[in-house]
């Protein structure tokens, strides 16, 4: 079978005849007399597309034969127009060559070789031997993009055994009896690889390293190449422009604008916290003065709107005093929170027992200890009823 994808990796359409069709598990595995459908290899995924009116779901190679998997039996066997899904193909080619250029950059700069790669659907990785610094990673990224700009030719070929002995490959040869295909980025990198690649580095357009982490005996580099890198850059640029617009500043002032905004927010939060503490101190006295006296206890029953943090602060200050029981409720939209708390000197009335029936009244869940219980429910219309249930229990002790 003629492998057109190696002869011309840019071939998007071709004509073929089906010479055999095998049904396996309800799908049909077609053999063509020639094909431009790449079966995958070297970590690169296979092509998809159409053979006539049949969608190609998968392409694979077995025993030197390439199979094209479709979901229904072919109705036509000859002169079939075949179309490669070009977006899938070019993406695979760009990620794969991007990996080669990145690997070559780390090797040329730091003599650090690649020990694993993964070409992913969203992001790809290359694992480089050794612990690399931020400065080294960025230097390799700059060299990679320089190689792209230099429009370096990329050759893919099968050398003779004699030629192979004289080629200085970046990595050791694979252990195989089959022909070994070599990819040569002229004057920069040469390595054995059976994948498909663009014929020039300019087709990569851009490579962007997203992040790097320590991995096993080396450093894992996460990257985007080609159209993926361009789209990511455009999205980041759009986001950056939105940030600058929001901050009313230019790009050079954006970082200072964010720092100033963060400082202002911290100041506002600190001020709000101080004011809440001050307000709570005043409100504690008022609530205790107006509390309902039951036996030897002062019982405070109160419903608030919104700020659960403030209610927590207020309740904590209330129960610092002896003989205080605080039955607090907070409305937050359609939801509701209950917070029951008591002074540490109260032993005979337990908050978790009071809470059990009260939380059921607002269709909620929660729990706690004898001194404090809290939870949330979805029926804030029954908040008053929930508090009354708890109050009645206290009166019956």
């Amino acid at each position: 079978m003629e492998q057109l994808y190696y002869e011309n990796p840019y071939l998007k359409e071709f004509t073929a005849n089906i010479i055999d069709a095998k049904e396996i598990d309800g799908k049909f595995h077609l053999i063509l007399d020639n094909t431009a459908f790449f079966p995958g290899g070297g970590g690169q995924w296979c092509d998809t597309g159409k053979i006539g009116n049949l969608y190609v779901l998968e392409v694979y190679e077995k025993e030197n034969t390439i199979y094209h998997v479709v979901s229904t039996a072919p109705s036509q066997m000859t002169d079939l127009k075949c179309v490669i899904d070009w977006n899938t193909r070019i993406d695979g080619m760009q990620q794969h060559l991007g990996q080669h250029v990145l690997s070559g950059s780390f090797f040329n700069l730091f003599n650090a070789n690649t020990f694993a790669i993964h070409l992913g659907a969203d992001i790809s990785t290359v694992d480089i031997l050794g612990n690399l610094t931020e400065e080294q990673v960025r230097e390799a990224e700059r060299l990679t993009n320089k190689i792209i700009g230099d429009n370096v030719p990329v050759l893919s070929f099968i050398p003779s055994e004699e030629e192979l002995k004289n080629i200085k490959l970046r990595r050791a040869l694979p252990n195989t009896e089959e022909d070994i295909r070599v990819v040569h980025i002229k004057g920069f990198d040469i390595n054995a690889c059976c994948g498909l690649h663009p014929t020039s580095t300019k087709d990569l357009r851009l490579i962007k390293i997203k992040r790097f982490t320590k991995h096993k005996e080396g450093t894992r580099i996460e990257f985007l190449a080609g159209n993926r890198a361009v789209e990511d850059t455009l999205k980041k640029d759009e986001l950056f422009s939105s940030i600058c617009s929001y901050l009313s500043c230019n790009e050079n002032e954006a970082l200072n604008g964010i720092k100033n905004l963060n400082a202002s927010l911290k100041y506002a939060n600190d001020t709000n916290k101080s004011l809440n503490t001050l307000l709570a101190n005043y409100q504690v006295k008022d609530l205790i003065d107006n509390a309902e006296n039951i036996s030897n206890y002062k019982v405070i029953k109160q419903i608030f709107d919104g700020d659960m943090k403030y209610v927590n602060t207020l309740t904590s200050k209330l129960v610092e005093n002896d003989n205080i029981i605080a039955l607090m409720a907070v409305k937050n939209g359609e939801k509701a929170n209950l917070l029951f708390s008591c002074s540490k000197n109260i032993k005979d009335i337990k908050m978790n027992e009071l809470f059990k029936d009260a939380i059921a009244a607002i269709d909620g869940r929660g729990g706690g200890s004898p001194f404090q219980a809290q939870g949330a429910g979805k029926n804030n219309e029954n908040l008053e009823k929930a508090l009354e249930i708890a109050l009645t229990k206290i009166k019956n002790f």
Side-chain angles (χ1 to χ4, degrees), residues 15 36 112 140 210 285 367-368 394:
T15 301
K210 298 294 290 179
K285 184 178 183 307
I394 294 170

Side-chain angles (χ1 to χ4, degrees), residues 6 65 93 97 106 119 152 167 171 182 227 232 251 260 273 284 289 297 336-337 370 372 375 383 385:
Y6 281 140
T65 301
M93 289 169 60
L97 182 59
F106 284 108
L119 305 179
V152 179
I167 294 175
R171 295 182 67 193
V182 167
N227 297 335
D232 181 72
E251 293 181 0
N260 291 337
K273 186 177 179 180
V284 163
D289 289 345
Y297 308 128
N337 290 80
Q372 182 169 295
L383 274 179
K385 180 182 176 182

Side-chain angles (χ1 to χ4, degrees), residues 104 108 147 152-155 184-190:
N108 281 294
I147 295 300
V152 179
V154 180
L155 307 177
H184 184 196
I185 304 169
K186 274 203 163 181
F188 183 72
D189 186 65
I190 186 164

Side-chain angles (χ1 to χ4, degrees), residues 49-104:
K50 292 183 75 175
I51 297 174
N53 61 352
L54 301 175
Y55 286 96
V56 178
L57 307 174
E58 181 189 355
V59 184
Y60 67 94
E61 185 173 3
K62 184 177 180 181
E63 296 176 353
N64 296 319
T65 301
I66 297 172
Y67 295 89
H68 309 73
V69 182
V70 297
S71 58
T72 56
S75 57
Q76 181 183 341
M77 301 293 284
T78 59
D79 294 324
L80 291 159
K81 180 182 178 181
C82 303
V83 180
I84 304 295
D85 180 338
W86 185 246
N87 288 334
T88 300
R89 162 70 73 79
I90 192 63
D91 184 41
M93 289 169 60
Q94 288 175 336
Q95 305 319 306
H96 206 159
L97 182 59
Q99 175 266 306
H100 279 277
V101 179
L102 267 176
S103 292

Side-chain angles (χ1 to χ4, degrees), residues 96 124 157 188 194 203 210 225 242 254 270:
H96 206 159
S124 299
F157 60 97
F188 183 72
C194 61
D203 286 356
K210 298 294 290 179
S242 298
D270 290 344

